[in-house]
Amino acid sequence: MRSDSRYCQAVVDVPVIDRSSTTDRVAGALREMLFAGDLPPGEPLREVTLADSFQVARSTVREALQVLAAEGLVTRYPNRGVVVTELTERDIAEIFEARLVLESAGLRAGAEGADLAPVTAALSTYAAAVRADDPVEQTHAHLEFHTSLVALLGNARLVAQADALTGDLRLALASVERARRNARTQVADHRRLLTLMRSGDDGAALAELDRHLRGAAVSVAERVIGA
């Protein structure tokens, strides 16, 4: 019994290996390629080819693609496999219409006295990512600013809906920002919106948000599908 006890203790003391780290690294590498434009919308992502390229197990690639699918960056189709997500003109229009509804509601909550500190912090993070010229973090921070507007409603379900919408949009927005090269102008636009919110002029703030999102929808459609 003693030997069995020692054996059990030895098994318990063995450190657990974090098997997700390789998956995270592969997902991160693919994410960078997507945001850099190296993998265009509609591009098929073959598990065997990627496993050979990254020199990892096919199962690791499969798990990494599941991570990216959850973020809306890739899409899995029956009998077709995984491809880089591509949006239609209608997809883009519907996403921005839904965002306008959610973010306008959040903006009104801000006008009614909701704490704007999280919005201010999100804008600072976005500006820092632009200064660092980090395309992945820049797109993430840009969308997080908009999600912070929805969060002013204090409704977790609506925030989850906003996250789902921006997940579908990340890749398209990254493509637009690469083409425009005007991230600093975007930061200035967001700062103007926050200034209007702080001033209490909710009419002007709503008009600015409407202008911003409608303009973004046009830019995304022109860049992604040439509409």
Side-chain angles (χ1 to χ4, degrees):
M1 291 297 293
R2 289 181 180 176
S3 60
D4 289 344
S5 297
R6 286 196 298 272
Y7 176 75
C8 291
Q9 184 63 44
V11 172
V12 171
D13 289 343
V14 171
V16 176
I17 297 173
D18 182 5
R19 301 184 66 177
S20 68
S21 59
T22 303
T23 298
D24 292 341
R25 287 197 294 272
V26 172
L30 287 171
R31 194 180 291 111
E32 289 183 7
M33 294 171 69
L34 289 165
F35 280 96
D38 297 331
L39 297 171
E43 178 81 9
L45 301 176
R46 311 295 185 193
E47 290 180 5
V48 173
T49 302
L50 292 173
D52 289 342
S53 298
F54 289 116
Q55 297 185 335
V56 298
R58 185 175 175 180
S59 59
T60 299
V61 172
R62 187 178 303 114
E63 292 170 1
L65 291 176
Q66 289 174 350
V67 171
L68 298 181
E71 297 175 3
L73 298 178
V74 302
T75 304
R76 185 179 296 276
Y77 294 101
N79 304 318
R80 185 181 171 190
V82 179
V83 302
V84 179
T85 297
E86 49 187 342
L87 300 175
T88 67
E89 184 176 2
R90 180 168 182 173
D91 288 333
I92 293 169
E94 289 181 349
I95 287 170
F96 276 96
E97 285 174 5
R99 287 184 60 194
L100 183 58
V101 170
L102 290 173
E103 294 177 30
S104 294
L107 195 151
R108 292 188 185 94
E112 293 172 2
D115 183 9
L116 296 181
V119 180
T120 302
L123 178 58
S124 296
T125 300
Y126 179 30
V130 170
R131 289 194 298 270
D133 196 25
D134 183 336
V136 175
E137 181 57 29
Q138 179 178 308
T139 300
H140 174 74
H142 184 175
L143 293 172
E144 281 297 305
F145 172 84
H146 285 275
T147 301
S148 73
L149 297 178
V150 181
L152 293 173
L153 291 165
N155 186 313
R157 292 180 183 275
L158 292 179
V159 171
Q161 289 182 3
D163 283 338
L165 289 169
T166 57
D168 290 340
L169 196 61
R170 287 177 190 274
L171 196 56
L173 185 60
S175 176
V176 170
E177 290 184 337
R178 283 197 310 272
R180 282 180 173 179
R181 298 293 182 186
N182 69 340
R184 293 184 186 278
T185 300
Q186 290 292 303
V187 171
D189 286 347
H190 289 68
R191 187 171 287 118
R192 179 167 56 252
L193 174 61
L194 181 56
T195 298
L196 289 171
M197 293 173 67
R198 286 173 174 159
S199 73
D201 190 346
D202 55 325
L206 286 167
E208 175 64 20
L209 178 64
D210 183 271
R211 182 198 66 78
H212 175 74
L213 290 180
R214 292 188 187 281
V218 171
S219 295
V220 169
E222 288 176 346
R223 176 63 180 173
V224 176
I225 54 181

